[in-house]
């Protein structure tokens, strides 16, 4: 899946999002493909908006799209 977020400002932002996405049950790998907020996520089953938003709760990042 390709997942895009807004609110990233630096490499530390991308690392934090990667860490939070990796913590979701079933996620195998997360790769930041664009420093402005695009990630490729390999998971056992596709992630949904609720899972992603729960993983990023309390952060300044917002989900833009899932494809």
């Amino acid at each position: 899946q390709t997942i895009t977020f807004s609110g990233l400002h630096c490499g530390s932002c991308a690392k934090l999002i990667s860490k939070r996405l990796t913590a979701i049950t079933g996620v195998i790998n997360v790769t930041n493909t664009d420093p402005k907020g695009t990630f490729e996520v390999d998971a056992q089953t596709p992630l949904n908006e609720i899972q992603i938003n729960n993983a990023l709760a309390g952060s300044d990042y917002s989900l833009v799209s899932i494809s």
Side-chain angles (χ1 to χ4, degrees):
Q1 281 178 288
T2 301
I3 303 174
T4 305
F5 299 93
S6 63
L8 281 79
H9 303 288
C10 62
S12 293
C13 296
K15 287 180 185 179
L16 178 65
I17 289 176
S18 292
K19 182 177 179 179
R20 290 190 178 199
L21 291 175
T22 301
I24 298 172
T25 301
V27 171
I28 299 163
N29 187 53
V30 176
T31 304
N32 177 224
T33 58
D34 176 0
K36 294 182 180 178
T38 303
F39 295 79
E40 290 295 328
V41 178
D42 297 318
Q44 293 173 344
T45 58
L47 301 181
N48 62 50
E49 187 174 343
I50 293 170
Q51 290 173 296
I52 295 166
N53 285 330
N54 285 344
L56 294 175
S59 73
D60 292 330
Y61 313 113
S62 299
L63 177 62
V64 174
S65 67
I66 305 169
S67 57

